[in-house]
Amino acid sequence: MKPLIGVGMVGYAFMGRVHSQAWRNVTAFFDLPVTPSMAVLSGRSEDHAAAAAAALGWAAVETDWRELVARDDVQIVDICTPGDSHAEIAIAALEAGKHVLCEKPLANTVAEAEAMTAAASKAAARGVRSMVAFNYRRVPAIALARRYVAEGRLGEIRHVRAQYLQDWIVDPEFPLVWRLQKDKAGSGALGDIGAHIVDTAQFVTGQLLTGVSALTETFVKERPLAEGASGLAGGSRTDGRGQVTVDDAALFIGRFDGGALGSFEATRFATGRKNALRLEINGSLGSLAFDFEAMNELWFHDEAQADAGFRRILVTEPGHPYMDAWWPPGHGLGYEHTFTHEVKDFLEAIAAGTDPSPSFEDGLRVQRVLAAVEESAANASRWTPL
Amino acid sequence: MKPLIGVGMVGYAFMGRVHSQAWRNVTAFFDLPVTPSMAVLSGRSEDHAAAAAAALGWAAVETDWRELVARDDVQIVDICTPGDSHAEIAIAALEAGKHVLCEKPLANTVAEAEAMTAAASKAAARGVRSMVAFNYRRVPAIALARRYVAEGRLGEIRHVRAQYLQDWIVDPEFPLVWRLQKDKAGSGALGDIGAHIVDTAQFVTGQLLTGVSALTETFVKERPLAEGASGLAGGSRTDGRGQVTVDDAALFIGRFDGGALGSFEATRFATGRKNALRLEINGSLGSLAFDFEAMNELWFHDEAQADAGFRRILVTEPGHPYMDAWWPPGHGLGYEHTFTHEVKDFLEAIAAGTDPSPSFEDGLRVQRVLAAVEESAANASRWTPL
Amino acid sequence: MKPLIGVGMVGYAFMGRVHSQAWRNVTAFFDLPVTPSMAVLSGRSEDHAAAAAAALGWAAVETDWRELVARDDVQIVDICTPGDSHAEIAIAALEAGKHVLCEKPLANTVAEAEAMTAAASKAAARGVRSMVAFNYRRVPAIALARRYVAEGRLGEIRHVRAQYLQDWIVDPEFPLVWRLQKDKAGSGALGDIGAHIVDTAQFVTGQLLTGVSALTETFVKERPLAEGASGLAGGSRTDGRGQVTVDDAALFIGRFDGGALGSFEATRFATGRKNALRLEINGSLGSLAFDFEAMNELWFHDEAQADAGFRRILVTEPGHPYMDAWWPPGHGLGYEHTFTHEVKDFLEAIAAGTDPSPSFEDGLRVQRVLAAVEESAANASRWTPL
Amino acid sequence: MKPLIGVGMVGYAFMGRVHSQAWRNVTAFFDLPVTPSMAVLSGRSEDHAAAAAAALGWAAVETDWRELVARDDVQIVDICTPGDSHAEIAIAALEAGKHVLCEKPLANTVAEAEAMTAAASKAAARGVRSMVAFNYRRVPAIALARRYVAEGRLGEIRHVRAQYLQDWIVDPEFPLVWRLQKDKAGSGALGDIGAHIVDTAQFVTGQLLTGVSALTETFVKERPLAEGASGLAGGSRTDGRGQVTVDDAALFIGRFDGGALGSFEATRFATGRKNALRLEINGSLGSLAFDFEAMNELWFHDEAQADAGFRRILVTEPGHPYMDAWWPPGHGLGYEHTFTHEVKDFLEAIAAGTDPSPSFEDGLRVQRVLAAVEESAANASRWTPL
């Protein structure tokens, strides 16, 4: 029998549901050196948390995350709350010697992210591991894309075209949920989905952005208050509407340290695009294209080949990243298993005593890009170096 | 707390792994009237079965399926073995008053399928339920296709084009596994994947085939014996090769009772196609197209619409079949959840005291089509009525 | 200056318009050994023919095709009439020593096609050339597909999936035009578009069909008479409706002399498919896929390649068949240039003194397949050898 | 008979070949009030020009464009030369009372474009017409896109994503042709293909850009001299290589006067993309997507529709822009007919005495955007208003 390692999860909304699915299933597919035990879930409402724990497979419940962090049966703290609480929880957990898996964006500000990274660095010296949950790195097709670039199959990278297009708030009567409030979410499309394309682009190319020029926009400036909303910064009002305090869309162009040019766009107003995380990379020897709406496919153009053309690689074959564990070729995976893979890699790193990736420092790098985008957008698209 | 209902699963290879995933996760997504308990798994080798049970989440192990059927903590028997044992296990379980979920094809012969259907019918009179595992009916896009046809949105159906294309035995050195042996598998591509397109086409159109004209072919007639193969009907030989006794490909054309024409093709030699279950239906008012390699998409053409054209419906929205339970739009599902949905519907039918669908009778209907295909192919493609 | 060669075209409806476009433009793109002169067009109505000649660029008009054939300034007779007149015109022209380009299907019956082939053979002995206008062979992507198969890049061919899907008569009020009358058109979807997929499949694979099993259907059995219709075989009636005497759809399965299995479908009732001539070929080493609705693309899967997948070859590169003559890569061609290429190859063969391809014998082969399909369909899908 | 109108074409390279194809064929498809007569072509080399005239169908040749402009049989001057000569020729022709069709970009500088626009304005007062050849406006799918936006079917436009991706100079040994020299071409990818996406985006949305922030890059800074190159500004050198003096790629973000955000990218280094002029537009009620590599398709998402999704409209139906003149549905057009449509609209405007579109003023507007992009790129991506 493999040694057990106890997990405590803070928050149980969308991200908590997906993380639970990962913890619950990872050992059925991957032969791991340790076995995660779904020890405890924390949430402020005891009733709701208990119901969630029952449905999602957690053995116990705490109503205060500090209690969860303090428990002896918790060695891993998995943070699935909004960004405004990441720093406090993560730093407390790391200081308590607990490994931390933290949802992205790492924090709502660069300062918080810096403090978290410092805490992670100190903890690492004591063998305590931390990881930021940029789950799209674990899409097999994205991992294969990274492999191709690392092997030099694209040659010198010239262009990165990254978009994350959604449309869930196109309706102006969609309510003012926490993701539309700066004090909770830090930013809007930028931090929520823009963070993913920044991380994914840097991960796949192995290059870092060196500067950006940006635009942001809030198309719908006021929205109905969400049910049960209270204490809105910016003010709830007598008419039942409140101010949207984050961006609806963020566009920027930039340069990478390896010489590539990048074009980025994150928006929640791309009507008809549901979860279109798209990445297209052109190099001197080849090109890649990906769209998460068809997550099992990677398109690759190999310039050296006669009669070349983008080919649709169904990334479901043995030998493809993570795919030895799964179904036969052509029997595709779904969204949730980006998290299964994340948890697998995290557990393996903990067991091996190595630092998992992406690290809090990677998360801080993304945070700095987000901050530079906001700074540039606030200053007439001024070039903002990183 | 919901009442528990014990499940015993016979077999733990590919199908067993997928069924386990469904049993393990169904309650995390669907609010069911009963809660499945993964009581016991049976397999001939105790060691292997115990390892599988540990990995897949089953509480106990039996080495004889008869013991499993007899256990008090088993109310559902889930049959995941090759087709040659379906009839015996299913009939025994039904007679023992256990609900049965049986993998497809229902049996290896029409006679077996008839006996199973008779047993199911008798059992149903006593409130014992049975279901054949045509999982593709539970792809949300396929269920949506059925809904469209049932609502009359396609008008009168004229054409059904159904293909199931794989390529996993293109290499002539691929070994003679059980799926290539008639005594184990009943038939080749025909029963394994042809059965799926027959059922899916009949399900979506709501029409039954009335006759067929068919061709079958075995392209590679001998193959290396698989490791550990023994007692091959047809003879293992001194050269380490054995005879392939099933079809590699089956093609047929047919007519449906509602007036549609059908073209069917099942093959394991479609190089480059991995799991391309494709269905295209043309009606007087519209058309549908589907390919399992992009399982979250349904293509629909509405003839009444100005500037019509096939539109790509990403079947991941609330209101789409099964999708209220899942992730936000655009965060697609994977292969395994066709089984999660199957298990959900099965459990709901048991709790409601209704007969689940597809029934053993549906399985028998498919079996008769398979038999007619083989008969036609053996008689110079002679028209063979059903 | 290149020598002139006079062309006389019989008929000026859809096919006549496209052929005119080819004759008018071929020398602007291809450096040919002879220059076609658009000498004369014939049509029964002098006024209509004269208007067509003016619009399409023909120098003169005849109202009797016999006069056209007899003219000294005509060395090539281009037959663009319905199938019922092909034999008479072609044989007369060949006997008069005129090269003949004849639209497909070669004739309405095998007997006519045999007579034409005999005439072509006799004429060839005297240096008179003939060609049947299976224009789809001259789609650059189809020509490239042929090249791939001929080079052995697909290995042994196992599967041919050929469909020609249109929808222009889905509306039951669409009138009874000549293409829906057996005495004019010979057959329906079968001869009109089925002929194309038979020829294209045999051309690309280099294999001939050896037998077929078929179904045909006429979904809409009566239609309003077309304006100006008269003398309908089968009878016009007092209610202004007449009988459809041809098939709306034809499906068949068959075997090729190289061992491949084929599945064919031609229909005018595939709602939403406009001109979907689709071909998919699976071989032991690779596969090809094509759809005329995206005529500049050929999809190729190379099994030997690591991380293989169908790649989209944009067949617009120098070195691709016919493409040295055209625009830069990515600037696609349209439908009409399949005829431009046809005329180019025909003129080059005439100048070189070689027999162009596809020959009348190729046309006869297709005719025999069409006849076998009709025979099989009329005899309960009985296997019908070729 | 329709009155003749004489055309003189200056230049006969790529653009001259395409324009010739348009002039030669337009009357075969469109019933025009005037008939163009291909009177004369001019080119500096008499031999080359004469050969081109013979192949392309021009009746006479001049070696000096001034002679062409002066001819009595020329009422239209069609300018197909590099951008550095547009202003001089166009102004001379307009002053001589000749209608002018001028290739894009209108000029190499804003000053030239202003002078041309002033000349066009003066000429218009005398009934002399001018048009800039942004041919992509005449892709039927693009014209349909414009119709949709104008009809309000997209609602309020929020996002424009425009890319023009090519790869013909990825090879660093590709020679230093005139398009890579600033004095001839004005700019690189920016003016050559960036101009098209600026015009197309403004045309389809009906909105004008109000400001931009930009990056440009020259990835390969030196190239082999082209054969016969001489007098290179920037200096040919003893090593047979010369300096590339234009951009290889230009990226910019911007805002439109109707509130939309735009992201633009023009590059000749998108390996594997051949002529990918892509446009994607998101509005509050719907979205459109287009890629010239599949030029007969427009993708449309209608938010109001249940089970919405992007639908592939094959823009080949009667009623679609320009398509009444062409082949049956599904028989697509090629690149060249964007010019056929351009010439048709130009001739109709001349005959009707109205100003054709896009006007020189439209060309000037694009020129100002190109200049703003260069200015922004030269000033650290500074926001540059228009």
Side-chain angles (χ1 to χ4, degrees):
Chain A
M1 286 293 293
K2 309 292 174 50
L4 289 180
I5 185 165
V7 183
M9 185 174 80
V10 187
Y12 52 85
F14 172 29
M15 277 304 112
R17 288 180 68 215
V18 192
H19 283 231
S20 299
Q21 177 76 347
W23 292 117
R24 194 167 55 241
N25 290 295
V26 65
T27 50
F29 296 96
F30 296 95
D31 184 22
L32 298 175
V34 290
T35 297
S37 156
M38 296 171 71
V40 57
L41 169 156
S42 80
R44 272 173 292 189
S45 152
E46 181 150 19
D47 285 0
H48 290 170
L56 301 175
W58 296 90
V61 162
E62 296 282 357
T63 53
D64 182 343
W65 63 261
R66 284 171 195 82
E67 300 296 325
L68 178 148
V69 167
R71 284 172 69 121
D72 285 346
D73 61 353
V74 167
Q75 284 86 48
I76 293 173
V77 175
D78 180 7
I79 305 173
C80 294
T81 53
D84 60 342
S85 57
H86 288 184
E88 187 180 10
I89 303 171
I91 292 170
L94 290 167
E95 288 179 349
K98 309 298 169 93
H99 309 294
V100 173
L101 174 61
C102 183
E103 259 307 316
K104 44 55 57 187
L106 187 58
N108 279 1
T109 65
V110 168
E112 287 171 339
E114 285 173 340
M116 293 168 78
T117 302
S121 175
K122 256 190 247 173
R126 289 175 290 128
V128 177
R129 310 296 164 189
S130 50
M131 186 178 180
V132 60
F134 284 117
N135 63 301
Y136 289 106
R137 291 190 178 201
R138 265 80 185 192
V139 177
I142 291 288
L144 185 61
R146 170 61 195 147
R147 186 192 290 175
Y148 274 36
V149 172
E151 290 172 354
R153 300 183 66 174
L154 268 72
E156 191 179 337
I157 307 295
R158 264 76 178 256
H159 288 291
V160 175
R161 229 159 276 122
Q163 296 152 8
Y164 202 145
L165 310 179
Q166 297 184 336
D167 72 354
W168 54 283
I169 57 170
V170 163
D171 181 352
E173 294 306 305
F174 187 93
L176 192 57
V177 297
W178 72 263
R179 286 184 190 274
L180 306 184
Q181 303 169 30
K182 190 170 181 57
D183 56 329
K184 303 284 193 315
S187 64
L190 178 62
D192 183 19
I193 53 180
H196 276 302
I197 47 175
V198 169
D199 181 69
T200 305
Q202 296 193 141
F203 168 66
V204 173
T205 60
Q207 297 187 18
L208 297 177
L209 281 160
T210 58
V212 297
S213 172
L215 285 180
T216 61
E217 183 61 74
T218 304
F219 295 112
V220 174
K221 296 183 181 9
E222 290 184 359
R223 291 182 176 272
L225 297 181
E227 264 181 80
S230 66
L232 270 183
S236 68
R237 298 174 335 192
T238 54
D239 64 356
R241 302 183 86 82
Q243 208 179 331
V244 176
T245 47
V246 299
D247 58 279
D248 287 336
L251 282 73
F252 56 100
I253 50 180
R255 292 181 182 272
F256 287 84
D257 59 7
L261 307 182
S263 172
F264 290 80
E265 182 172 356
T267 179
R268 293 162 169 168
F269 275 75
T271 314
R273 302 299 180 195
K274 300 303 174 184
N275 202 44
L277 187 165
R278 298 176 183 167
L279 185 66
E280 186 169 347
I281 301 180
N282 307 124
S284 56
L285 303 180
S287 291
L288 289 170
F290 173 80
D291 183 340
F292 187 80
E293 288 187 357
M295 71 168 272
N296 293 293
E297 302 174 14
L298 180 68
W299 294 79
F300 174 51
H301 167 87
D302 178 356
E303 183 70 7
Q305 195 163 50
D307 297 332
F310 281 78
R311 73 176 188 255
R312 172 184 177 257
I313 303 170
L314 214 46
V315 190
T316 59
E317 301 284 321
H320 285 157
Y322 303 104
M323 293 309 299
D324 289 339
W326 293 100
W327 320 117
H331 297 68
L333 296 191
Y335 166 69
E336 68 213 57
H337 294 311
T338 56
F339 294 88
T340 308
H341 302 159
E342 186 169 270
V343 153
K344 170 214 168 245
D345 288 340
F346 187 48
L347 290 170
E348 288 181 343
I350 290 171
T354 57
D355 283 319
S357 165
S359 63
F360 277 19
E361 189 163 354
D362 292 320
L364 170 59
R365 276 195 194 106
V366 171
Q367 207 68 39
R368 285 184 171 137
V369 175
L370 305 184
V373 166
E374 291 197 312
E375 184 185 329
S376 174
N379 288 281
S381 306
R382 187 174 67 194
W383 182 256
T384 306
L386 282 156
Chain B
M1 286 294 292
K2 307 291 173 52
L4 288 180
I5 185 164
V7 184
M9 186 174 80
V10 188
Y12 52 85
F14 172 27
M15 277 304 111
R17 288 179 68 216
V18 191
H19 284 231
S20 301
Q21 178 75 349
W23 294 117
R24 194 166 55 240
N25 291 293
V26 65
T27 50
F29 296 96
F30 295 95
D31 184 21
L32 298 175
V34 291
T35 299
S37 156
M38 298 173 68
V40 57
L41 170 156
S42 81
R44 272 173 293 190
S45 152
E46 182 152 17
D47 286 359
H48 290 170
L56 301 175
W58 297 91
V61 161
E62 297 284 356
T63 55
D64 182 342
W65 61 262
R66 287 169 195 83
E67 300 296 325
L68 176 148
V69 167
R71 282 172 70 122
D72 286 344
D73 61 353
V74 167
Q75 283 85 47
I76 293 174
V77 175
D78 180 7
I79 305 174
C80 294
T81 54
D84 60 341
S85 56
H86 287 184
E88 187 179 12
I89 302 171
I91 293 170
L94 290 166
E95 290 179 348
K98 308 298 169 92
H99 310 293
V100 173
L101 175 63
C102 182
E103 257 308 317
K104 44 54 56 187
L106 186 59
N108 278 3
T109 66
V110 168
E112 288 171 338
E114 286 173 339
M116 293 168 79
T117 303
S121 175
K122 256 191 248 171
R126 290 175 289 127
V128 177
R129 311 295 164 191
S130 50
M131 187 177 178
V132 60
F134 284 117
N135 64 300
Y136 289 107
R137 291 190 180 201
R138 265 81 185 191
V139 177
I142 290 288
L144 185 62
R146 170 60 196 149
R147 185 191 290 176
Y148 274 36
V149 173
E151 290 172 351
R153 300 183 68 174
L154 269 71
E156 193 178 335
I157 307 294
R158 265 76 178 255
H159 288 291
V160 175
R161 230 159 276 121
Q163 296 152 6
Y164 201 145
L165 310 179
Q166 297 184 337
D167 73 354
W168 54 283
I169 58 171
V170 164
D171 182 352
E173 294 306 307
F174 186 93
L176 192 56
V177 296
W178 72 264
R179 287 184 189 273
L180 306 184
Q181 304 169 30
K182 190 170 181 54
D183 57 329
K184 303 283 194 318
S187 64
L190 179 62
D192 183 18
I193 53 179
H196 276 302
I197 47 175
V198 169
D199 181 70
T200 304
Q202 296 193 141
F203 168 67
V204 173
T205 61
Q207 297 187 20
L208 297 177
L209 281 160
T210 59
V212 297
S213 172
L215 285 180
T216 60
E217 184 62 73
T218 305
F219 295 112
V220 173
K221 296 187 182 6
E222 291 184 359
R223 290 182 178 273
L225 297 181
E227 263 181 81
S230 67
L232 268 185
S236 69
R237 297 173 338 192
T238 53
D239 64 356
R241 302 182 87 81
Q243 207 179 331
V244 176
T245 47
V246 299
D247 59 279
D248 287 337
L251 283 71
F252 57 101
I253 49 180
R255 291 182 183 271
F256 287 85
D257 57 8
L261 306 182
S263 174
F264 290 80
E265 183 171 356
T267 181
R268 292 161 169 169
F269 275 74
T271 316
R273 301 300 180 193
K274 300 304 173 182
N275 201 44
L277 187 165
R278 296 174 184 170
L279 185 66
E280 186 169 347
I281 301 180
N282 307 125
S284 55
L285 302 180
S287 291
L288 289 170
F290 173 80
D291 183 340
F292 187 81
E293 289 187 358
M295 71 168 274
N296 293 292
E297 300 174 17
L298 180 68
W299 294 79
F300 174 51
H301 167 87
D302 178 355
E303 183 71 7
Q305 193 163 53
D307 297 333
F310 281 79
R311 74 174 187 256
R312 174 184 178 255
I313 303 170
L314 214 47
V315 190
T316 59
E317 301 284 322
H320 286 157
Y322 304 103
M323 294 308 299
D324 289 339
W326 294 100
W327 321 117
H331 296 70
L333 297 192
Y335 166 70
E336 69 213 58
H337 294 310
T338 58
F339 295 88
T340 308
H341 301 158
E342 187 170 87
V343 154
K344 167 210 169 254
D345 288 339
F346 188 47
L347 291 170
E348 287 181 343
I350 289 171
T354 59
D355 283 319
S357 165
S359 65
F360 277 19
E361 190 162 352
D362 292 321
L364 171 59
R365 277 195 192 105
V366 171
Q367 207 67 39
R368 287 188 169 132
V369 175
L370 305 184
V373 167
E374 291 196 314
E375 185 186 328
S376 174
N379 288 280
S381 306
R382 187 175 65 193
W383 182 255
T384 305
L386 281 158
Chain C
M1 287 294 292
K2 308 292 173 50
L4 289 180
I5 185 164
V7 183
M9 185 174 81
V10 187
Y12 52 86
F14 171 29
M15 278 303 113
R17 288 179 68 214
V18 191
H19 283 231
S20 300
Q21 177 75 346
W23 292 117
R24 194 167 55 239
N25 290 295
V26 65
T27 50
F29 295 96
F30 295 96
D31 184 22
L32 298 175
V34 290
T35 298
S37 155
M38 296 171 71
V40 57
L41 169 158
S42 81
R44 272 173 293 189
S45 151
E46 182 150 19
D47 285 0
H48 290 170
L56 301 176
W58 297 91
V61 161
E62 296 283 356
T63 54
D64 183 342
W65 62 261
R66 287 171 192 83
E67 299 296 325
L68 177 148
V69 166
R71 285 171 69 121
D72 286 346
D73 61 354
V74 168
Q75 283 86 49
I76 292 173
V77 174
D78 181 7
I79 304 175
C80 294
T81 54
D84 60 341
S85 56
H86 288 184
E88 187 179 13
I89 303 172
I91 293 171
L94 290 167
E95 290 179 348
K98 307 302 169 89
H99 309 295
V100 173
L101 175 61
C102 183
E103 258 308 315
K104 45 55 55 188
L106 187 58
N108 279 2
T109 67
V110 168
E112 288 171 340
E114 286 173 340
M116 292 168 78
T117 303
S121 175
K122 257 191 247 172
R126 289 174 289 128
V128 177
R129 310 295 163 191
S130 49
M131 186 177 181
V132 59
F134 284 117
N135 63 300
Y136 289 106
R137 289 190 180 202
R138 265 81 186 191
V139 177
I142 291 288
L144 185 63
R146 170 61 196 147
R147 186 191 289 174
Y148 273 36
V149 173
E151 290 172 355
R153 300 183 67 176
L154 268 72
E156 191 178 337
I157 306 294
R158 264 75 177 257
H159 288 292
V160 175
R161 230 158 276 121
Q163 296 152 7
Y164 202 145
L165 310 179
Q166 297 184 337
D167 72 354
W168 54 282
I169 58 171
V170 164
D171 181 352
E173 295 306 306
F174 187 92
L176 192 56
V177 298
W178 73 263
R179 286 184 190 272
L180 306 185
Q181 304 169 29
K182 190 171 181 54
D183 58 328
K184 305 283 194 316
S187 64
L190 179 62
D192 184 19
I193 55 181
H196 276 303
I197 48 175
V198 170
D199 181 70
T200 304
Q202 296 193 139
F203 168 67
V204 172
T205 59
Q207 298 187 20
L208 297 178
L209 281 161
T210 59
V212 296
S213 172
L215 286 181
T216 60
E217 184 61 73
T218 305
F219 295 111
V220 174
K221 295 184 179 13
E222 291 183 359
R223 290 182 177 272
L225 298 181
E227 264 181 81
S230 66
L232 272 184
S236 68
R237 298 173 336 192
T238 53
D239 64 355
R241 302 183 87 82
Q243 209 179 331
V244 176
T245 47
V246 299
D247 59 278
D248 286 338
L251 281 72
F252 56 101
I253 50 180
R255 290 183 183 272
F256 288 84
D257 58 8
L261 307 182
S263 173
F264 289 80
E265 182 172 357
T267 180
R268 294 162 170 168
F269 275 73
T271 314
R273 302 299 181 196
K274 300 304 173 183
N275 202 46
L277 187 164
R278 297 175 184 167
L279 186 66
E280 185 168 348
I281 301 179
N282 306 125
S284 56
L285 302 180
S287 292
L288 289 170
F290 173 80
D291 183 339
F292 188 81
E293 288 187 359
M295 69 169 273
N296 293 293
E297 300 174 16
L298 181 68
W299 293 79
F300 174 52
H301 167 87
D302 177 356
E303 183 69 7
Q305 195 162 51
D307 297 333
F310 281 78
R311 72 175 190 257
R312 173 184 178 254
I313 303 171
L314 213 47
V315 190
T316 58
E317 300 284 322
H320 286 157
Y322 304 105
M323 293 309 299
D324 289 338
W326 294 100
W327 320 117
H331 297 69
L333 297 192
Y335 167 70
E336 67 212 60
H337 294 312
T338 58
F339 295 88
T340 308
H341 302 159
E342 185 170 87
V343 153
K344 169 211 168 249
D345 288 340
F346 188 46
L347 291 169
E348 287 181 344
I350 289 171
T354 58
D355 283 320
S357 166
S359 65
F360 277 19
E361 190 162 351
D362 292 320
L364 171 59
R365 276 193 194 107
V366 172
Q367 207 68 39
R368 286 186 170 136
V369 175
L370 305 184
V373 167
E374 291 196 313
E375 184 185 328
S376 174
N379 288 280
S381 307
R382 189 175 65 194
W383 182 254
T384 305
L386 282 157
Chain D
M1 288 291 293
K2 308 291 174 51
L4 290 180
I5 185 165
V7 183
M9 186 175 79
V10 188
Y12 52 85
F14 172 27
M15 278 303 113
R17 288 179 68 215
V18 192
H19 283 231
S20 300
Q21 178 75 347
W23 293 116
R24 194 166 56 240
N25 290 294
V26 65
T27 52
F29 295 96
F30 295 96
D31 184 23
L32 299 175
V34 291
T35 299
S37 157
M38 297 172 70
V40 56
L41 170 157
S42 80
R44 271 173 295 190
S45 151
E46 181 151 18
D47 285 0
H48 289 170
L56 301 175
W58 297 91
V61 161
E62 297 283 356
T63 53
D64 182 342
W65 62 262
R66 287 171 194 83
E67 299 297 324
L68 177 147
V69 167
R71 283 172 70 122
D72 286 345
D73 62 352
V74 168
Q75 282 85 49
I76 293 173
V77 174
D78 180 7
I79 304 174
C80 294
T81 54
D84 59 341
S85 56
H86 287 185
E88 187 179 12
I89 302 172
I91 292 170
L94 289 167
E95 290 179 347
K98 308 298 169 91
H99 309 295
V100 172
L101 176 61
C102 183
E103 258 308 317
K104 48 50 59 185
L106 186 59
N108 278 3
T109 65
V110 168
E112 286 171 341
E114 286 173 339
M116 292 169 78
T117 302
S121 174
K122 255 191 247 173
R126 288 175 289 127
V128 177
R129 310 296 163 190
S130 49
M131 188 177 179
V132 60
F134 284 117
N135 63 301
Y136 289 106
R137 290 190 179 200
R138 264 81 184 191
V139 177
I142 290 289
L144 185 62
R146 170 60 196 147
R147 186 192 288 175
Y148 273 37
V149 173
E151 290 172 353
R153 299 182 69 175
L154 269 71
E156 192 178 337
I157 307 294
R158 265 74 178 256
H159 287 291
V160 175
R161 230 159 276 120
Q163 297 152 5
Y164 201 145
L165 310 179
Q166 298 185 335
D167 73 354
W168 54 282
I169 58 171
V170 164
D171 181 352
E173 294 307 305
F174 186 92
L176 193 57
V177 297
W178 71 264
R179 286 183 189 273
L180 306 184
Q181 303 168 30
K182 190 170 181 55
D183 56 330
K184 303 284 194 315
S187 65
L190 178 62
D192 183 19
I193 54 180
H196 275 302
I197 46 175
V198 170
D199 181 69
T200 303
Q202 297 194 140
F203 168 66
V204 172
T205 59
Q207 297 187 20
L208 297 178
L209 281 160
T210 59
V212 296
S213 171
L215 285 180
T216 61
E217 184 62 74
T218 304
F219 295 111
V220 174
K221 296 185 179 11
E222 290 184 359
R223 291 181 177 273
L225 297 181
E227 262 182 82
S230 66
L232 271 184
S236 68
R237 299 175 333 195
T238 53
D239 63 356
R241 301 183 88 82
Q243 208 179 331
V244 175
T245 46
V246 299
D247 58 279
D248 286 338
L251 281 73
F252 56 101
I253 49 179
R255 292 181 182 270
F256 287 85
D257 57 7
L261 306 182
S263 172
F264 290 79
E265 183 171 357
T267 178
R268 292 162 168 168
F269 275 74
T271 315
R273 302 300 180 193
K274 299 305 173 181
N275 202 44
L277 186 164
R278 296 175 184 170
L279 186 65
E280 185 168 348
I281 301 180
N282 307 125
S284 55
L285 302 180
S287 290
L288 290 169
F290 172 81
D291 183 339
F292 188 80
E293 289 187 357
M295 69 168 274
N296 293 292
E297 300 173 17
L298 180 68
W299 293 79
F300 175 51
H301 167 87
D302 178 355
E303 183 70 8
Q305 194 162 54
D307 296 333
F310 281 77
R311 73 176 189 255
R312 173 185 178 254
I313 303 171
L314 214 47
V315 190
T316 59
E317 301 284 321
H320 285 158
Y322 304 105
M323 293 308 299
D324 290 338
W326 293 101
W327 321 116
H331 296 69
L333 297 191
Y335 166 70
E336 67 212 60
H337 294 311
T338 57
F339 294 88
T340 308
H341 301 159
E342 185 170 271
V343 153
K344 169 213 168 250
D345 288 340
F346 187 47
L347 290 170
E348 287 181 344
I350 290 172
T354 57
D355 283 319
S357 164
S359 64
F360 277 21
E361 190 161 352
D362 291 321
L364 170 59
R365 277 194 193 105
V366 172
Q367 208 67 39
R368 285 186 170 135
V369 175
L370 305 184
V373 167
E374 293 196 311
E375 185 185 328
S376 173
N379 288 279
S381 307
R382 187 175 66 193
W383 182 256
T384 306
L386 282 157

